[in-house]
Amino acid sequence: GDTSEPASVSDLFGSSSESGSDENHTDEKRATVQEYLLPEAAGKVTYGNKNISIDASNLSEGYFMVKYEGDADKVKLQLHTPDGETYTYTLAIGSYEAFPLSAGDGDYHLEVLEHAYDDMYALAHSEDLKVTLNDEFRPFLYPNQYVWFTPEYKAVSYAAELSDKASNDLDYVGLVYRYVTENIKYDEELAANVKSGYLPDIDNTMDSGKGICFDYASLMAAMLRSQGIPTKSSFFTIQSLVFDSPSSSPATLRKEHNSLSSAIMLPKF
């Protein structure tokens, strides 16, 4: 039998020292993306109450948006997906945020939970969403809370520069991989002190040259998505909400583990 080990990402893409340069030496040239997909709260399909706005106008594009404007000091969003997974997010106060429908077509259930006291959360609103995507890859192209970027971001501009040097999509993925792995160092201090609800700032990661796994994944995903490469980011969450009573009663927030790691999958290849 074949006892050889599977190829690693570095085996596939090599390193800049091995390839000698990031320049494209072939006649083939990748078409750099100049127009970017950005989520919007269009207001065509909405749910919620006086404190919670859920914009479901773009479910077919692979995302929905939520804005919380109530008095709670901390708010959680739980998303239950058609494949049986549950994702928990910390909501910002007073602004819309985008969240992906990464399980594809099917029935989703979301719950907004307000901090009540100590480690207790109470259900503030719930909603069912029936999703039919325009394209299975759309959820992996838009910015969202975990992978946020706009055209003005430095990371997006540099992604376009790398794309200009690439001969094709796979070559571009290799350039992004080498940039991130060779220029971003692991931040041991941040890893030891990261708090629940931490979100990456990809331009800060570039400027500082360091980050934790979440930052690596978010930066790489943003650079790939901004150039039209569908990229799924998967995270092991630090905390999750566990209901110890019916959904109409407060929920208990229980810490499960203290580590966070990530992986990036490219559905296109």
Side-chain angles (χ1 to χ4, degrees):
D2 183 8
T3 58
S4 61
E5 295 183 359
S8 66
V9 177
S10 58
D11 292 332
L12 291 173
F13 299 131
S15 65
S16 59
S17 60
E18 293 171 343
S19 59
S21 171
D22 286 340
E23 295 294 334
N24 172 21
H25 295 296
T26 72
D27 292 331
E28 188 181 3
K29 183 173 176 59
R30 182 178 190 272
T32 296
V33 172
Q34 302 292 342
E35 296 183 3
Y36 305 103
L37 295 175
L38 296 173
E40 64 169 338
K44 296 177 181 178
V45 181
T46 60
Y47 307 101
N49 55 40
K50 66 176 183 179
N51 295 328
I52 299 164
S53 299
I54 300 168
D55 193 299
S57 304
N58 291 293
L59 299 184
S60 62
E61 285 294 286
Y63 69 89
F64 65 97
M65 303 190 77
V66 180
K67 178 170 68 173
Y68 178 80
E69 297 180 290
D71 297 327
D73 61 333
K74 290 182 288 187
V75 187
K76 300 289 183 179
L77 169 69
Q78 274 205 329
L79 180 64
H80 305 272
T81 66
D83 58 1
E85 296 293 332
T86 298
Y87 298 95
T88 302
Y89 304 90
T90 299
L91 288 178
I93 308 296
S95 60
Y96 272 109
E97 295 177 289
F99 300 93
L101 299 163
S102 56
D105 295 351
D107 296 323
Y108 291 74
H109 178 74
L110 66 87
E111 294 171 334
V112 178
L113 302 136
E114 296 175 315
H115 181 229
Y117 59 91
D118 297 333
D119 60 353
M120 304 295 287
Y121 282 73
L123 181 66
H125 187 79
S126 65
E127 202 67 54
D128 294 317
L129 304 175
K130 189 171 185 63
V131 174
T132 302
L133 297 176
N134 289 331
D135 183 282
E136 62 179 312
F137 295 138
R138 298 304 269 183
F140 312 117
L141 287 170
Y142 278 91
N144 58 46
Q145 191 200 58
Y146 279 4
V147 184
W148 183 252
F149 59 91
T150 68
E152 295 75 27
Y153 272 43
K154 180 185 299 184
V156 173
S157 297
Y158 189 62
E161 291 181 25
L162 289 181
S163 176
D164 286 339
K165 299 176 182 179
S167 57
N168 51 47
D169 284 355
L170 189 58
D171 186 32
Y172 172 67
V173 172
L175 293 178
V176 172
Y177 168 78
R178 289 196 293 272
Y179 166 73
V180 173
T181 58
E182 294 177 8
N183 291 278
I184 309 301
K185 307 302 180 186
Y186 192 72
D187 191 334
E188 299 284 356
E189 182 178 357
L190 177 58
N193 297 284
V194 67
K195 305 296 184 183
S196 174
Y198 174 82
L199 292 174
D201 179 329
I202 60 173
D203 275 1
N204 181 64
T205 301
M206 288 186 67
D207 290 339
S208 66
K210 58 185 180 179
I212 58 175
C213 297
F214 201 170
D215 300 302
Y216 280 76
S218 183
L219 175 58
M220 189 176 291
M223 294 179 75
L224 294 175
R225 289 185 187 189
S226 69
Q227 280 300 311
I229 306 293
T231 308
K232 180 179 181 179
S233 298
S234 300
F235 303 95
F236 295 95
T237 57
I238 293 175
Q239 294 181 333
S240 66
L241 289 170
V242 179
F243 285 98
D244 291 333
S245 53
S247 59
S248 60
S249 303
T252 300
L253 183 66
R254 181 185 304 158
K255 181 173 288 188
E256 294 190 333
H257 52 81
N258 295 315
S259 63
L260 186 152
S261 61
S262 57
I264 291 187
M265 179 176 71
L266 303 172
K268 191 171 182 179
F269 300 113

